[in-house]
Amino acid sequence: MNATTETDVAKERLVKDFKAVVADTEELLKATASQTGEKVAAARVKVEESLADAKKRLTELRENLTDKAKVAAHKTDELVHEHPWQAVGLAAAVGFLLGMLISRR
């Protein structure tokens, strides 16, 4: 599985987890509107479990993305050290193009 696919899968799982948290929160709100006792306690436990799971997945996603960013930065650093003049030329070209685009506004 490539990095893009892994990231997409992780994003989908995170969205699914947050939807579950929202659904559980709505259930808790409905339960607390007219009921007290056992239903409320069960709904709160479910919300707490969903929230903990979502936080865990968010942490995993953040760590995964941080690791990938570090790898990309390291590879970019290596590339710039291997081809410094090409990097300077590319940076100058990008800067020139951005300057042109900004000045047109």
Side-chain angles (χ1 to χ4, degrees):
M1 193 179 297
N2 66 26
T4 303
T5 305
E6 288 176 333
T7 303
D8 291 340
V9 168
K11 286 179 188 177
E12 289 173 20
R13 280 190 300 184
L14 186 62
V15 168
K16 181 181 172 187
D17 291 340
F18 278 113
K19 285 182 181 179
V21 169
V22 169
D24 292 343
T25 303
E26 289 173 346
E27 182 180 334
L28 177 63
L29 292 175
K30 288 177 186 175
T32 57
S34 63
Q35 301 281 329
T36 59
E38 198 173 307
K39 274 184 144 181
V40 173
R44 285 186 181 163
V45 167
K46 192 173 181 182
V47 168
E48 289 172 357
E49 289 172 354
S50 294
L51 187 57
D53 189 45
K55 286 180 180 180
K56 178 184 166 198
R57 290 187 187 272
L58 182 60
T59 300
E60 290 171 356
L61 178 62
R62 184 188 66 201
E63 289 171 357
N64 188 8
L65 292 175
T66 301
D67 291 344
K68 289 180 182 179
K70 287 178 182 178
V71 168
H74 182 69
K75 288 186 183 280
T76 302
D77 185 55
E78 287 178 357
L79 183 65
V80 168
H81 279 89
E82 290 173 6
H83 307 284
W85 289 110
Q86 289 88 342
V88 169
L90 180 62
V94 169
F96 177 76
L97 290 174
L98 286 174
M100 294 293 291
L101 290 173
I102 291 171
S103 68
R104 288 187 177 181
R105 289 186 178 189

